[in-house]
Amino acid sequence: GYAAIPLTALAFAGLVNAYNMIDGVDGLCATFALLPLLVVGLLAWQAGHHSADSLLLIATALAVFLVFNLSPGTRWRPKLFLGDSGSGMLGFAVCSVLVYFSQPPQMLVKPVTCLWLVAVPLFDMLTTMLIRVREGDHPMRADRRHLHHLLIDHGFSVLNTRRIMVSYAVAMIVAGFLLMPQHSYVSMAAILAVFATHVTLVCRARRSMLHALPDGLGNAAA
């Protein structure tokens, strides 16, 4: 209807920013782009869609990039980074694929299922912005209030932080597909409930971290 164009524009702006914001630990942004592209690519291949090969080719390129992004930085395997343009491009690509394959006649996933496919970067962006506003900062200010920073500040290694967040993303994707046979309203209610739980747990974890800091160091954690 009339809301389709502004909602689609909002989706693109949101996901481009979400993927840019999640790019704070090596491998996170590319992996969170690889997962939905690989899932939709496999669905397209199963359905015999002509874009399946292109999607799987992009997924392969991302997998190769991850080999170098997660590299220790040796002579034969140099370390590569996305940068803002790279992370933004991945957000745009993922959104393009999800919008295209959630609409007839090539519909492979429900629009609400798309939210599950990008839940972690989307949740992280919205939660971080809420915390920033709540603590009196600009919602787009760069800081260490993201989920990956919170996990690291609570003592998790970078490797374990990456494992936790990727496992979280995989679990959300599986949940989204398990809910696909249900009415879209059921899936939407479920993801809103998960988001509310996510916000609550992240805010509590941040408060506990700030309370544990010596006086005067609370602002440094931001």
Side-chain angles (χ1 to χ4, degrees), residues 127-143 145 206 210 218-219 222:
T127 305
T128 303
M129 292 173 70
L130 286 171
I131 293 174
R132 288 170 181 168
V133 172
R134 182 178 178 179
E135 296 181 358
D137 285 325
H138 192 282
M140 299 304 293
R141 176 196 170 199
D143 52 36
R145 293 182 174 104
R206 177 162 175 81
L210 294 178
N219 291 333

Side-chain angles (χ1 to χ4, degrees), residues 16 19-20 23 29-30 33 62 65 81-93:
V16 167
Y19 274 83
N20 179 265
D23 190 25
C29 183
L62 273 175
F65 167 77
F81 301 97
L82 285 171
D84 289 343
S85 297
S87 59
M89 184 278 292
L90 288 182
F92 187 90

Side-chain angles (χ1 to χ4, degrees), residues 16-129:
V16 167
N17 278 285
Y19 274 83
N20 179 265
M21 289 182 176
I22 205 71
D23 190 25
V25 170
D26 290 344
L28 278 188
C29 183
T31 301
F32 289 152
L34 174 62
L35 289 174
L37 291 176
L38 185 60
V39 168
V40 176
L42 291 174
L43 290 175
W45 176 75
Q46 186 179 32
H49 194 277
H50 62 84
S51 296
D53 290 343
S54 298
L55 289 174
L56 295 177
L57 184 62
I58 295 172
T60 302
L62 273 175
V64 172
F65 167 77
L66 280 169
V67 171
F68 291 92
N69 185 227
L70 298 175
S71 162
T74 63
R75 179 181 178 184
W76 302 107
R77 191 179 155 202
K79 198 170 186 68
L80 298 180
F81 301 97
L82 285 171
D84 289 343
S85 297
S87 59
M89 184 278 292
L90 288 182
F92 187 90
V94 170
C95 194
S96 300
V97 169
L98 294 182
V99 169
Y100 180 76
F101 283 104
S102 64
Q103 304 299 314
Q106 66 283 332
M107 183 175 181
L108 295 177
V109 292
K110 294 181 178 179
V112 69
T113 306
C114 296
L115 295 176
W116 292 92
L117 295 179
V118 294
V120 175
L122 192 60
F123 285 5
D124 179 67
M125 177 188 70
L126 295 174
T127 305
T128 303
M129 292 173 70

